[in-house]
C-alpha cells in the first residue's frame, strides 16, 4: 500500500513540476503587418480613368492586417515604393506616401488610401506602375508579408468595347477620342450588347444615349454653355481646345470641317469625328 501511495505522489509531483516548468517557456512573437489580399492576383490592381473622364484623381485602398495581438493604443507602420518596379512619379501621378500610417487602438486591419492622379496627358497612351511594399517599424515586423508587394497600374487609355460593333452605324469607326467624347456626353459608359439574349430590352435606352452624344457633336458650343465644368477656348488658326476646366492640360482639338463648314473634333488619327 505504501508503495502505491509513493507511486501516486511521485507521478503527481512529476506532472506538477512539468506544468510549472512549462509556464516558464511561454511563446512570445513580435507582431507583424502584411498585405491582406484574398489571393496573389488581387494584389495587382488595374485602374483606368477613362470611364470617369471628369475625375482628376481617385483613391485606391490597400488592405493591411496585423498578425499578433491587438493593443489598447495605436501603432504605426510604413509603406515604401519599390523603385525598380515603379514608373509613376510622386506629385505628377500620385500623392506622395505619408511618413507613417496608423493602426488604431484595438484594431487589427486598415484600408490604406493611396491617391492617384489623372493629370498627365501621357496617360492617354501609357500605363504607369506604382509598386508598394511594407517596411518594418518599431511597432511591426514584416517577415510574414504575402504577397510582399501591392502593384497599382493605371492609365487613361480606352479600348474598343464589345458593344461598339453593334452600333457602328451610329458611332462610326472606333477611335479613343471618339469613345472619350461619348463617355463625356452620352450619360452612360455602355450601350446594348446585341450578343446577349435580352439586349433588345435595352434598345430604347441605347437610342436615348446615342441622341445625347449626337446632340453634343452637332452643337458643342451650346453643350458647353450648359456644362460649367467644361470649356471651349480659341487656340489660333481657327481652332478650338475642348477640355475639363480642372484639367486644362488635357485638350481635344476642334476645327471647322472645310467640306461642310461644321465644327468637328479631331481624333488621335487626325480624322474628323462625325
Amino acid at each position: 500500500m505504501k508503495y502505491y501511495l509513493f507511486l501516486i505522489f511521485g507521478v503527481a509531483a512529476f506532472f506538477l513540476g512539468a506544468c510549472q516548468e512549462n509556464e516558464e517557456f511561454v511563446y512570445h512573437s513580435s507582431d507583424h503587418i502584411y498585405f491582406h489580399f484574398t489571393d496573389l492576383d488581387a494584389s495587382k490592381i488595374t485602374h483606368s480613368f477613362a470611364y470617369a473622364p471628369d475625375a482628376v484623381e481617385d483613391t485606391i485602398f490597400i488592405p493591411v492586417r496585423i498578425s499578433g495581438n491587438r493593443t489598447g493604443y495605436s501603432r504605426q507602420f510604413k509603406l515604401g515604393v519599390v523603385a525598380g518596379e515603379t514608373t509613376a512619379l510622386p506629385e505628377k501621378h500620385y500623392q506622395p506616401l505619408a511618413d507613417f500610417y496608423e493602426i488604431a487602438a484595438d484594431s487589427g486591419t486598415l484600408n490604406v488610401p493611396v491617391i492617384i492622379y489623372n493629370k498627365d496627358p501621357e496617360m492617354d497612351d501609357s500605363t504607369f506602375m506604382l509598386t508598394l511594399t511594407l517596411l518594418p517599424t518599431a511597432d511591426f515586423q514584416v517577415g510574414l508579408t504575402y504577397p510582399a508587394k501591392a502593384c497599382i497600374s493605371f492609365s487613361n487609355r480606352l479600348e474598343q468595347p464589345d458593344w461598339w460593333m453593334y452600333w457602328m452605324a451610329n458611332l462610326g469607326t472606333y477611335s479613343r477620342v471618339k469613345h472619350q467624347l461619348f463617355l463625356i456626353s452620352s450619360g452612360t459608359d455602355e450601350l446594348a450588347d446585341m450578343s446577349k439574349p435580352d439586349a433588345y430590352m435595352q434598345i430604347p435606352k441605347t437610342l436615348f444615349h446615342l441622341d445625347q452624344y449626337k446632340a453634343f457633336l452637332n452643337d458643342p458650343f451650346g453643350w458647353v454653355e450648359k456644362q460649367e465644368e467644361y470649356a471651349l477656348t480659341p487656340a489660333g488658326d481657327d481652332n478650338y481646345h475642348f477640355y475639363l476646366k480642372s484639367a486644362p492640360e488635357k485638350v481635344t482639338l476642334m476645327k471647322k470641317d472645310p467640306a461642310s463648314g461644321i465644327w468637328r473634333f479631331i481624333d488621335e488619327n487626325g480624322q474628323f469625328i462625325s
Side-chain angles (χ1 to χ4, degrees):
M1 183 65 177
K2 291 181 179 180
Y3 171 77
Y4 289 111
L5 289 174
F6 175 79
L7 180 61
I8 291 171
F9 281 118
V11 173
F14 171 80
F15 281 109
L16 179 61
C19 291
Q20 290 173 342
E21 185 177 354
N22 284 345
E23 289 175 359
E24 296 175 2
F25 290 91
V26 177
Y27 176 74
H28 292 284
S29 173
S30 299
D31 292 335
H32 289 69
I33 193 161
Y34 62 96
F35 291 125
H36 184 57
F37 293 104
T38 54
D39 55 54
L40 189 59
D41 288 339
S43 68
K44 300 173 183 178
I45 302 165
T46 301
H47 183 86
S48 175
F49 283 100
Y51 289 94
D54 295 353
V56 295
E57 65 178 45
D58 209 342
T59 303
I60 305 297
F61 291 97
I62 307 297
V64 299
R65 175 173 287 190
I66 67 168
S67 173
N69 297 318
R70 300 186 182 190
T71 63
Y73 52 89
S74 62
R75 289 177 291 177
Q76 293 182 327
F77 67 94
K78 188 175 180 66
L79 278 179
V81 175
V82 182
E85 300 178 32
T86 294
T87 56
L89 299 175
E91 302 288 359
K92 186 175 184 179
H93 299 121
Y94 67 95
Q95 185 180 95
L97 302 178
D99 292 336
F100 291 95
Y101 297 90
E102 191 172 277
I103 293 284
D106 301 314
S107 178
T109 61
L110 180 69
N111 287 320
V112 184
V114 177
I115 298 175
I116 56 176
Y117 296 142
N118 181 25
K119 301 188 293 186
D120 184 359
E122 291 186 16
M123 288 175 60
D124 292 345
D125 299 304
S126 302
T127 298
F128 290 88
M129 296 290 300
L130 175 58
T131 303
L132 304 174
T133 190
L134 288 159
L135 301 174
T137 64
D139 293 322
F140 293 107
Q141 295 187 37
V142 296
L144 298 180
T145 54
Y146 179 82
K149 302 169 187 176
C151 305
I152 306 171
S153 63
F154 55 103
S155 70
N156 199 18
R157 289 174 62 88
L158 284 169
E159 303 295 341
Q160 181 172 329
D162 293 338
W163 50 260
W164 189 282
M165 61 180 292
Y166 298 106
W167 301 98
M168 287 185 67
N170 305 86
L171 296 169
T173 303
Y174 180 84
S175 74
R176 289 191 177 121
V177 172
K178 184 184 294 186
H179 194 174
Q180 188 73 70
L181 295 176
F182 172 84
L183 293 174
I184 290 170
S185 62
S186 68
T188 187
D189 59 8
E190 62 180 351
L191 299 179
D193 184 342
M194 301 309 293
S195 66
K196 297 180 180 179
D198 59 348
Y200 71 94
M201 298 179 63
Q202 301 299 319
I203 290 177
K205 183 174 181 288
T206 287
L207 295 177
F208 168 78
H209 292 303
L210 286 170
D211 285 345
Q212 296 292 100
Y213 170 63
K214 285 298 183 181
F216 164 70
L217 292 184
N218 291 334
D219 186 14
F221 294 102
W223 187 91
V224 166
E225 288 180 0
K226 300 175 184 178
Q227 307 291 331
E228 295 183 356
E229 66 269 33
Y230 285 92
L232 262 174
T233 57
D237 296 328
D238 212 20
N239 296 332
Y240 278 82
H241 281 168
F242 173 70
Y243 56 90
L244 188 67
K245 291 180 181 178
S246 58
E249 71 281 1
K250 298 179 62 176
V251 302
T252 300
L253 179 64
M254 188 179 77
K255 59 171 50 179
K256 185 175 289 187
D257 181 353
S260 63
I262 298 175
W263 293 97
R264 301 292 189 197
F265 291 103
I266 308 298
D267 69 13
E268 68 270 24
N269 303 310
Q271 301 297 314
F272 286 109
I273 294 175
S274 59

